Amino acid sequence: MEGIETHRSIFCKSEHSPLLNVLVVKPSFMEITEVINETQKHFQDQNITTPLALEQHENFVRVLKEQNVEVEELPAEPGLPEQVFTRDIAFTLNEEIYIASMSESVRHRETGPLKKWLQDHDISYQDGLPSSIEGGDVIVNGSTVYVGVSGRTSQEAIDALQARIPSYTVVPLPLHESILHLDCVFNIVDENTAIVYPPAFTPEGLGRIATTFNLIRVTREEQFQMGPNVLSIGNKTIISLPQNKRINQELEAKGFNVIPVEFSEIIKSGGSFRCCTLPLRRK
């Protein structure tokens, strides 16, 4: 069997070191069946053109492979319209995968296929975090783990996570109620640089981020266009949406190589490149 075979192959301690292996799901059954975020509310009447979503996702996967990323595909299942967003259903910390506790009923069944895939590949995982916590709210920076306090992730779950990983410092970041996940408004792209949408945070939370990173600040329009939700694949290379031109130019001015990939159909459901990738292994 190709790909990952033991849990020892799992490793992730940052958002920006070279991406070696990632898990994705094709948007074969993607549609807005139940509005569960502000972006979907905007695109509810248009909904998702599935063939276009599949074409864009296939191109995204092709780009990943061209960049020497090994791509694993979890089978898409009917009745799971949000399954393309694999980042939400788990998160990788060091050598362990933690299964998320999904908040929305339309997404509860998504963790089942992931657990089966992990078991089939003899990959260990942790489960059973209380209340709700989703991978889109979890951002790893070495021994620090930032976790968004959102409608999808509770303080109770964050406290339970800290108890499980005492060697890490878990930093809760309360988010404005309109924000879906932390990675929609905050993303670390190298050791010193982060993309952020300031109005999403409390003054204390934003201050904590600003004292740690040089910030690329995005506007409301750029945030709606999923500007922060880029995917770093390592070596200062970033996959980003072509329509976020100013952000891309600022990244390039800071020495990043930006690969523009069209993802306009996918983002209608409220997620972009980071949301659609569950890293299994980074260098």
Side-chain angles (χ1 to χ4, degrees):
M1 181 180 293
E2 295 182 357
I4 288 185
E5 294 182 355
T6 75
H7 71 280
R8 289 190 297 273
S9 295
I10 299 299
F11 186 77
C12 185
K13 287 198 74 173
S14 85
E15 301 291 335
H16 52 76
S17 54
L19 182 61
L20 303 178
N21 191 281
V22 71
L23 186 64
V24 304
V25 176
K26 290 179 180 178
S28 303
F29 304 102
M30 187 180 186
E31 63 177 324
I32 301 172
T33 58
E34 177 183 332
V35 174
I36 57 174
N37 61 58
E38 291 300 313
T39 309
Q40 288 185 353
K41 186 182 298 183
H42 182 81
F43 289 107
Q44 182 181 13
D45 292 339
Q46 291 184 33
N47 218 301
I48 308 296
T49 303
T50 306
L52 180 55
L54 282 164
E55 178 184 330
Q56 292 179 350
H57 191 269
E58 182 178 339
N59 182 54
F60 172 49
V61 168
R62 180 183 58 78
V63 170
L64 288 172
K65 291 179 178 179
E66 287 174 351
Q67 296 297 314
N68 299 313
V69 179
E70 184 179 2
V71 181
E72 308 272 1
E73 288 199 4
L74 188 68
E77 297 198 6
L80 299 180
E82 303 287 304
Q83 196 186 12
V84 68
F85 301 126
T86 53
R87 179 78 65 148
D88 296 337
I89 58 177
F91 50 94
T92 309
L93 295 178
N94 204 353
E95 297 179 340
E96 193 76 84
I97 287 182
Y98 291 76
I99 303 297
S101 301
M102 306 303 290
S103 171
E104 299 292 332
S105 59
V106 71
R107 303 200 66 182
H108 284 173
R109 290 197 300 113
E110 288 181 40
T111 56
L114 173 61
K115 291 178 188 178
K116 183 180 184 305
W117 188 90
L118 293 171
Q119 291 162 1
D120 289 346
H121 288 74
D122 194 27
I123 301 174
S124 68
Y125 59 85
Q126 291 206 31
D127 199 2
L129 287 165
S131 185
S132 62
I133 182 169
E134 298 185 358
D137 276 320
V138 181
I139 292 181
V140 186
N141 188 43
S143 61
T144 300
V145 181
Y146 298 97
V147 186
V149 186
S150 69
R152 304 296 185 88
T153 296
S154 70
Q155 186 64 53
E156 179 186 1
I158 295 171
D159 292 341
L161 177 63
Q162 177 68 91
R164 290 199 192 188
I165 53 171
S167 62
Y168 288 80
T169 300
V170 176
V171 179
L173 292 173
L175 300 176
H176 187 275
E177 62 181 7
S178 65
I179 301 302
L180 174 58
H181 284 134
L182 180 60
D183 66 4
C184 295
V185 291
F186 174 52
N187 204 340
I188 302 169
V189 291
D190 72 5
E191 295 87 347
N192 305 307
T193 312
I195 304 173
V196 69
Y197 175 59
F201 299 92
T202 64
E204 295 77 15
L206 183 60
R208 179 71 181 258
I209 294 170
T211 57
T212 308
F213 302 100
N214 298 317
L215 300 183
I216 297 174
R217 299 169 185 258
V218 307
T219 65
R220 181 178 180 182
E221 181 181 356
E222 290 168 337
Q223 190 277 323
F224 183 77
Q225 292 281 0
M226 292 291 149
N229 203 263
V230 299
L231 179 66
S232 173
I233 58 176
N235 303 311
K236 293 183 79 75
T237 298
I238 304 288
I239 296 176
S240 180
L241 292 164
Q243 57 263 49
N244 287 316
K245 293 181 180 179
R246 189 197 64 83
I247 297 173
N248 295 341
Q249 289 172 352
E250 191 160 347
L251 284 166
E252 289 171 342
K254 293 181 181 295
F256 289 90
N257 172 35
V258 177
I259 302 175
V261 174
E262 186 57 65
F263 226 43
S264 56
E265 205 63 23
I266 304 288
I267 69 171
K268 286 181 179 180
S269 202
S272 190
F273 303 113
R274 187 183 189 273
C275 295
C276 290
T277 48
L278 174 59
L280 301 174
R281 188 158 38 104
R282 286 186 180 269
K283 192 171 181 179

